[in-house]
Amino acid sequence: MPTLPTTVFDQFTRRTADVTAQLATLGIPLTAPAPPPADLNPADPWASSYTVPVDRSSLAWCTAVTMLTDHHHTGIERQVLAADALLRELGVRGLAQLHSDLYAGAPVDYRFIRCPYCSGIGEDPTQPTCGEVGCAPWLEFAGHDHVCPVCQGDDCQPEWFAEERMAELEELLADAIEEREEHASLRYRTRARLYRRTVRT
């Protein structure tokens, strides 16, 4: 029976260990092979054929392949190339795009949905924490290197934000009802005037 992670940071180690163990079992190398070089474009002499190497043992790659296999209900071997392409093209930030794509293109609100990369802690798990580095408390609001690149440090607290969201929605609904009543009143007055004109003529 597998042991459960004892701290939130243990789950990141567990995630990479599980994925790399599956890759080793399948005989898939931990470094993605470089794609074939692109044809040189004489119209763009500054174009580069350099491609970013993809480390399949990184937390970002393991997160991407896990998201893909969970969503498509397939084995890891079917999603390896997709995870390679995502990380090569967009890097870690591409996980946010992938998350949105898996939600049919809808924007993902990380205040209500736990971030797949940092699991809702709001900091980049691969960087030292603010406590380890000794960041000043005001940096939490100023933005700094430790913020999670996927959720941008959004605090996943649906039970707290739901109240705030409900208050916002009630206010929007009240405004919409008031506006509709104003428009209905205006339509009634316009209709009454037009009716009076047609009756006179």
Side-chain angles (χ1 to χ4, degrees), residues 58-76:
S58 70
L59 180 63
W61 192 89
C62 293
T63 303
V65 83
T66 303
M67 289 169 70
L68 289 163
T69 55
D70 289 348
H71 181 76
H72 295 290
H73 307 291
T74 61
I76 196 171

Side-chain angles (χ1 to χ4, degrees), residues 89-142:
E89 293 295 318
L90 301 173
V92 180
R93 187 75 188 112
L95 292 173
Q97 182 63 51
L98 172 62
H99 206 181
S100 174
D101 291 347
L102 295 180
Y103 276 73
V108 179
D109 191 340
Y110 288 108
R111 296 175 305 170
F112 294 92
I113 297 170
R114 194 168 298 284
C115 174
Y117 183 62
C118 75
S119 296
I121 63 172
E123 296 181 13
D124 189 337
T126 62
Q127 300 292 325
T129 64
C130 292
E132 290 168 349
V133 176
C135 292
W138 59 267
L139 280 175
E140 181 183 342
F141 305 102

